[in-house]
Amino acid sequence: MHFRKQRVNKKSSYPSASAKSLSAEATSSKEVALALPLSIEEMERKAKTLRRHIIAMTAKAGSGHPGGSLSAAEIVTALFFNHLRHNPSNPRWPDRDRFVLSKGHAAPLLYAALAEAGYFPVEELLTLRQLDSRMQGHTDMTITPGVEMSAGALGQGLSFGIGIALAARLDRRDYRVYVLLGDGECDEGQVWEAAMAAAHFKVDNIVAIVDRNRQQIDGWTYEVMDTEPLAEKWLSFRWHTIEVNGHDLSQIIAALGEAKLVKGKPTASIAHTTKGKGVSFMENNLDFHGRAPTPEDAERALKELE
Amino acid sequence: MALEMSAREAYGNTLVELGKENKNIVVLDADLSRSTMTRFFAREFPERFFDCGIAEQNMMGIAAGLAASGKTVFASTFAVFASSRCYDQVRMCIAQPRQNVKIVASHGGISVGEDGFSHQSIEDLALFCSFPGFTVIVPADAIEAAQAVRAAASTYGPFYVRLSRPKTPVILDDKYRFAVGRAVTMRGGWDATVIACGLMVAKALQAADALAREGIECRVVNMPTLKPLDEDAIVKAAEETGAILAVEEHLQHGGLGSRVSQVVAKHHPVPMSFLAIKDCYSPSGKPEELLQRHGLTAEGIAEEVRSLISRKGQ
Ligand SMILES: Cc1ncc(C[n+]2csc(CCOP(=O)(O)OP(=O)(O)O)c2C)c(N)n1
């Protein structure tokens, strides 16, 4: 992992900050080692590495959720290896950007990214779902470095993220919050309660990314609970809304950059993806939502991901 | 090993039979019909099945509205979501109005296993038993599950039926007749009584076998209905065996043990002990590993009975 020294402002530049508090920044800024952003080609390779981890971890565990982990590999790669301001050697650094995994069943993806970023040894990934492992079946914020929220019951991450974002305002910190939601998860009413609240509180340091893979468990989202028109919903809830191809790293990076410039309102990014992406026989295959690859499946999958 | 079957599979099959017999039955699920097995019903009767998506609170509200309009409604999801996530919706729209809604939830307890604490349901019995007027059932095996579901369909009022995820031994036979509120003595004995529900009943029977080899005759009572409780069976066990151990795959507070102890304390105090989940959440792990951690095994039960008997007459 490459690091470079970068100056980071401890105090935020929230518009209401007075000249006095802004001038205090210079004295309180400190040097922090931050990961060097990867290039698009490097990120493409990294996403593949994360996919390989996901296959290996779930196959070893014999259970878990590969489909919705694979679909968001580029989104999580773009965040952890290019966009986020974070410090793997100091997971609780108060000024870090926060990544909140609301669709907690994609824990294998998050663990893979955290391990690759240096939060814990890559070898630990293979303890997924074993008794007393830090790699819990769904995320547990009390034991895993880099995990911001205990999740697994869907629909709760956006509210949690708003809380973190509001705290930045109160503490005059300039970190940003990124919440990854499933499109099926958007069935939950709490998501829309949160969507309304974020716009109401004019929270502009939060980005909701919806992994729009068009599948949930019982079927396609249009069959089970039709969420369309999804982008229009976020728009009508007064979110700046950007649709991207969720497997195109440059589009994701551009959207995250655009979101930073939006003031006075939150940003939603609808990332169009394919569930099970990267492994031919898992793509759009409902069976692999919550079923681990068999050893034979895993062998085939890893070959495809070479 | 005896035949094994999951209670949720029995539920899925029974719903299809009920659907054929009774046109008034409507089934709801919340994007888990492959796990709760309501999809068997969905396939047969698509017009009477509504998948509400990942929106459990909304599902409970819809169930209540259907019931208020004369339908017999089955609503299914995982136990943890049916209970803690929907508590107020159930309280307002199903419990107090005494609606004819049957909440049949799969994945009860910690035997959910590897998914971890977010999916393990350890408070659900306390929550559902806390509703005035709710009938709460935890079947011991697939046979009892099927009959409990039938009883729920034919008895007016709100029901909670908790099913477990794993395949478990079938311990009852076809001649068995389930009745709401009736306990079943699975094995006679005079030295102590184990009162259990759910998948702990099979383990209690194994424990009683082991104890018998040591000369301890332990009664095993299957208590599938937590509410209303079979008080007579409890008092009889207290009087005749002088010691009671309650065993359940649930927090030690608010479930079977708490309820049985109230009856014992009031009518015939005897030494009691409780084998249940300690006051904590559990991590990911194999179902048997997690049960073992809380002593919820045949050996754990036998051990607890031995120490309970040593307290008799003190
Ligand atoms: C409150 C709640 N209800 C139900 C579930 C069970 N569940 C786990 S994943 C899932 C489907 C999720 O679909 P989606 O959000 O689209 O995720 P993805 O397809 O990206 O994996 C469901 C219903 C849950 N975890 N939480």
Side-chain angles (χ1 to χ4, degrees), chain B residues 23-314:
Chain B
K23 298 252 171 311
N24 208 32
I25 286 178
V26 180
V27 178
L28 309 181
D29 204 300
D31 197 27
L32 288 171
S33 71
R34 292 160 158 249
S35 294
T36 62
M37 308 279 178
T38 59
R39 72 167 160 163
F40 300 165
F41 184 95
R43 254 193 318 240
E44 295 280 330
F45 310 102
E47 71 290 350
R48 283 191 275 147
F49 175 80
F50 298 94
D51 197 325
C52 300
I54 312 168
E56 298 77 9
Q57 298 167 328
N58 189 40
M59 173 174 76
M60 293 305 178
I62 293 173
L66 283 161
S69 313
K71 304 296 172 197
T72 299
V73 187
F74 281 82
S76 290
T77 176
F78 290 169
V80 70
F81 307 133
S83 55
S84 43
R85 197 176 189 93
C86 303
Y87 191 79
D88 189 48
Q89 281 77 11
V90 173
R91 177 178 185 269
M92 286 304 297
C93 294
I94 296 174
Q96 191 274 345
R98 286 195 50 72
Q99 300 267 28
N100 202 20
V101 175
K102 322 299 171 182
I103 300 171
V104 183
S106 69
H107 293 54
I110 51 176
S111 55
V112 172
E114 289 87 346
D115 272 345
F117 96 93
S118 62
H119 285 56
Q120 296 163 1
S121 182
I122 58 175
E123 309 97 338
D124 58 325
L125 300 179
L127 291 173
F128 275 104
C129 284
S130 72
F131 290 129
F134 239 86
T135 299
V136 178
I137 300 174
V138 187
D141 71 356
I143 301 254
E144 190 162 62
Q147 295 198 24
V149 167
R150 284 198 158 271
S154 59
T155 314
Y156 188 88
F159 274 64
Y160 177 64
V161 183
R162 182 221 238 196
L163 310 175
S164 43
R165 180 182 81 100
K167 286 194 160 69
T168 52
V170 174
I171 54 174
L172 295 158
D173 59 33
D174 293 337
K175 290 195 290 292
Y176 173 68
R177 288 292 161 260
F178 168 86
V180 173
R182 191 175 73 199
V184 192
T185 302
M186 304 287 292
R187 181 189 172 108
W190 305 93
D191 296 327
T193 302
V194 175
I195 300 182
C197 63
L199 52 79
M200 296 314 299
V201 178
K203 295 183 193 296
L205 288 170
Q206 287 169 18
D209 280 345
L211 290 165
R213 288 194 285 276
E214 301 165 20
I216 297 172
E217 287 305 327
C218 180
R219 183 179 300 185
V220 176
V221 172
N222 169 22
M223 186 71 70
T225 313
L226 270 66
K227 194 177 184 180
L229 211 50
D230 188 340
E231 298 200 2
D232 292 345
I234 297 169
V235 175
K236 203 158 158 254
E239 287 170 353
E240 294 176 357
T241 71
I244 292 179
L245 169 66
V247 186
E248 66 197 304
E249 191 195 358
H250 182 268
L251 280 180
Q252 60 189 350
H253 303 116
L256 179 70
S258 291
R259 297 183 58 72
V260 169
S261 65
Q262 283 191 0
V263 176
V264 173
K266 181 173 177 192
H267 296 286
H268 193 91
V270 294
M272 274 198 76
S273 195
F274 307 91
L275 204 45
I277 297 166
K278 311 298 177 291
D279 198 24
C280 64
Y281 290 100
S282 296
S284 296
K286 294 194 179 69
E288 285 303 327
E289 287 175 339
L290 296 175
L291 292 169
Q292 178 132 32
R293 180 157 288 190
H294 293 279
L296 293 169
T297 58
E299 303 78 58
I301 295 169
E303 192 53 46
E304 203 64 39
V305 169
R306 284 184 209 107
S307 78
L308 178 64
I309 287 176
S310 72
R311 283 165 49 205
K312 276 174 76 171
Q314 274 180 11

Side-chain angles (χ1 to χ4, degrees), chain A residues 75-86:
Chain A
I75 298 166
V76 167
T77 299
L79 285 165
F80 276 89
F81 300 98
N82 182 291
H83 189 81
L84 286 188
R85 183 175 80 198
H86 67 127

Side-chain angles (χ1 to χ4, degrees), chain A residues 2 9-10 22 58 62-63 81-82 116 159 163 193 251 255 285 294:
Chain A
H2 309 287
N9 292 333
K10 181 154 178 287
L22 284 173
T58 52
S63 66
F81 300 98
N82 182 291
E116 282 290 322
S159 310
E193 295 173 25
Q251 283 192 32
N285 183 347
T294 63

